[in-house]
Amino acid sequence: MGVVIETHFWEPSISFYLFLFAACFSSILFRSHFENSTRSNPVIDSTPASFFRFQRRFLFVYAICSVVGGLHSVFGEVEFSFYGFNREQMVTALAIGCVAALFAGTFLGVFSDFIGHNKTCVLFCLLHLFAGILKSFTRHPSIIIPNVCLAIASSIFGFSFESWMVVEHEKLGYRQDLLVDSFWLMTFSESASLIGSQALANLLVTRDSQKGVAFPSFVAAILAIVCVIYVSRWWSGIVPASSISNYKMVFSACILRDKRIWLLCWAQACLEFSVKIFWIFWAPMIVADGREIHLSLIYPCLLGAKMLGSTACPWFLNGPLWTTVEDLLAAAFTTASLALFVIAHDYQEIKFLVAVFCIFLACVGLISPSLARMRTMLVPNELRAGMMSLSSVPANAALLLVLIQNGRHRNLSNSSIMAVSALGLSTAAICIYLLKRWTKQHQEWHKL
């Protein structure tokens, strides 16, 4: 929802942009200085140059795919309005996409584990290609079909790229501690790419009423073709599972019967639900009471805060502020929950509200790579995508319920929905605390 039609008026100070840029730059620079000062450590010195080539290649395709997704999502409800959708039709379209993600996305995680994550990543690109072609050359009501494709593609993006990178990382024999850098760089590059997609979409929007917002979708289709070629040519993927029955047996033993995985799944679901709710309702809440604001200028601030949060992750997991990933997650979930409770309490003064939004997204930027690290510690790589898609089920189901109750029946207020999201993040913090205790008990039991 980065490109919004508005009329004036309040906009962030240029000093706020400079602060976010300087903070991100300083966080990265000083951590690099810290690493250079410890180069006498033989473990740090032994990082092979091939790892950095592998990391750059992956982040390149990940960033381009993020731009593709951003070009299709940046307009938000403006695009639906362009195609003549009213509020009820918008909610229906979003609900249909949510149903598609709830059912198709759930099984695609297992499918990705079984056939290879690189093939599922190609499917992500093909879905965006198909949606881009339809949105470029057709009009209402066919926008529903691209919306379903994009919802499924969004689900794939949530699990396949991370699973693919982790499996390739292991196959190439790199150290596990190096994954922390890859995880936070994924979050950082995704947010930066979304800002870039907003700027690109604004440049590509034409004044021709017959084309309108369709041209960015055409460019997204072109970029999707580039990604398909790149993935198919340069990345081999993994060896598929030996059989479906063997996969089911291992999945049941390692995922469904491990209570620690269920706690991790719930924490991931609460995060995913709260983030989706935030991106749906942030604009309506910020323009409440008739406030006139340049929303398209606030959007980069929010993503900049998420980028800043991601740069803090290696400071805590691999750097001078070292702490356990469980303690870091519990603190970040608690802070994010408090931020949403503040948002839900009332419509605050605009500067304060934007600041709280940024705190929430900074926590999201810190939580996302930390959860990825937890998955690496607890989930076998060959089951990773299936576990991640399983954790999306409650988030998508809850989102569908919100769309029905708030969008169609209007039984829920925006503040009530934010309060529910905050409560979910509070339970996620509790789950992480229990996960730490049960993991410690599990380790002690194995020592006996």
Side-chain angles (χ1 to χ4, degrees):
M1 296 183 68
V3 178
V4 182
I5 298 174
E6 69 273 318
T7 51
H8 163 55
F9 300 38
W10 188 89
E11 59 186 52
S13 169
I14 187 65
S15 60
F16 189 54
Y17 295 103
L18 293 176
F19 166 75
L20 288 174
F21 175 80
C24 289
F25 181 78
S26 300
S27 178
I28 297 171
L29 179 65
F30 286 124
R31 180 173 173 269
S32 298
H33 176 74
F34 168 78
E35 287 186 344
N36 291 334
S37 67
T38 57
R39 284 294 177 185
S40 58
N41 188 327
V43 176
I44 296 177
D45 246 357
S46 64
T47 304
S50 61
F51 167 75
F52 297 106
R53 289 195 298 270
F54 159 77
Q55 190 180 68
R56 286 194 299 268
R57 284 170 56 188
F58 172 76
L59 290 174
F60 172 78
V61 69
Y62 187 76
I64 296 299
C65 288
S66 298
V67 171
V68 172
L71 286 173
H72 276 137
S73 63
V74 72
F75 292 103
E77 64 185 41
V78 173
E79 183 177 19
F80 286 110
S81 299
F82 172 78
Y83 286 105
F85 278 53
N86 58 35
R87 186 178 187 276
E88 295 297 323
Q89 290 172 318
M90 290 181 193
V91 172
T92 300
L94 291 174
I96 292 174
C98 190
V99 170
L102 178 61
F103 290 99
T106 303
F107 297 106
L108 280 173
V110 175
F111 184 70
S112 180
D113 281 331
F114 190 71
I115 69 168
H117 306 302
N118 61 323
K119 296 182 178 65
T120 320
C121 291
V122 169
L123 177 60
F124 164 88
C125 299
L126 293 177
L127 287 169
H128 274 285
L129 173 61
F130 181 66
I133 292 173
L134 283 181
K135 290 167 69 174
S136 299
F137 299 107
T138 60
R139 291 182 63 85
H140 173 80
S142 59
I143 189 66
I144 295 292
I145 300 176
N147 192 59
V148 170
C149 293
L150 295 177
I152 297 174
S154 179
S155 295
I156 293 174
F157 188 80
F159 58 77
S160 278
F161 284 90
E162 179 189 311
S163 301
W164 180 29
M165 184 274 294
V166 171
V167 170
E168 288 286 338
H169 182 102
E170 181 185 49
K171 186 175 70 173
L172 294 172
Y174 300 127
R175 301 196 318 271
Q176 289 294 303
D177 62 293
L178 295 175
L179 280 170
V180 172
D181 279 336
S182 297
F183 290 146
W184 80 260
L185 283 170
M186 286 174 65
T187 303
F188 185 91
S189 62
E190 179 191 2
S191 300
S193 298
L194 289 176
I195 296 175
S197 68
Q198 180 198 14
L200 180 59
N202 279 315
L203 291 173
L204 294 174
V205 169
T206 110
R207 297 183 182 275
D208 185 348
S209 61
Q210 297 301 315
K211 296 180 180 178
V213 299
F215 191 55
S217 296
F218 177 75
V219 175
I222 299 298
L223 291 176
I225 294 174
V226 173
C227 290
V228 168
I229 296 173
Y230 187 86
V231 171
S232 302
R233 182 173 180 181
W234 294 106
W235 295 85
S236 60
I238 63 170
V239 178
S242 57
S243 67
I244 295 178
S245 59
N246 181 65
Y247 179 89
K248 290 170 60 179
M249 181 178 64
V250 176
F251 191 88
S252 176
C254 297
I255 303 297
L256 300 181
R257 297 179 185 175
D258 191 337
K259 59 184 179 182
R260 298 174 301 162
I261 302 298
W262 283 100
L263 292 175
L264 187 59
C265 283
W266 180 254
Q268 176 65 39
C270 291
L271 175 69
E272 186 175 336
F273 173 71
S274 64
V275 169
K276 289 180 177 179
I277 287 297
F278 176 84
W279 286 120
I280 291 174
F281 291 102
W282 77 272
M285 295 189 73
I286 212 169
V287 298
D289 303 326
R291 293 185 291 211
E292 295 178 325
I293 301 161
H294 277 304
L295 293 176
S296 56
L297 297 179
I298 295 178
Y299 183 75
C301 294
L302 302 179
L303 290 173
K306 184 178 178 182
M307 293 167 65
L308 178 59
S310 69
T311 65
C313 184
W315 282 88
F316 292 102
L317 297 185
N318 275 349
L321 304 177
W322 185 87
T323 185
T324 64
V325 64
E326 295 93 343
D327 290 339
L328 179 60
L329 280 170
F333 270 121
T334 301
T335 306
S337 174
L338 292 174
L340 287 189
F341 272 125
V342 170
I343 296 170
H345 176 67
D346 196 5
Y347 294 118
Q348 292 85 6
E349 194 272 332
I350 182 63
K351 292 182 180 179
F352 179 76
L353 192 59
V354 172
V356 177
F357 283 175
C358 289
I359 291 173
F360 168 72
L361 284 174
C363 291
V364 172
L366 184 60
I367 291 170
S368 296
S370 302
L371 279 177
R373 176 60 177 161
M374 283 295 299
R375 285 190 287 271
T376 302
M377 295 165 58
L378 298 177
V379 182
N381 287 341
E382 61 272 16
L383 308 175
R384 191 184 188 101
M387 174 268 175
M388 293 177 69
S389 63
L390 178 66
S391 67
S392 298
V393 173
N396 287 323
L399 180 61
L400 179 61
L401 180 62
V402 167
L403 290 172
I404 294 173
Q405 292 297 320
N406 178 267
R408 298 192 66 87
H409 304 307
R410 306 189 183 184
N411 292 335
L412 298 173
S413 65
N414 292 351
S415 58
S416 298
I417 296 170
M418 284 292 181
V420 171
S421 300
L423 183 61
L425 292 176
S426 299
T427 65
I430 296 173
C431 286
I432 296 299
Y433 172 75
L434 293 175
L435 177 60
K436 180 181 180 180
R437 288 187 57 187
W438 290 352
T439 300
K440 184 177 180 179
Q441 293 173 1
H442 184 80
Q443 292 171 346
E444 292 175 351
W445 183 78
H446 276 282
K447 290 180 181 178
L448 297 177

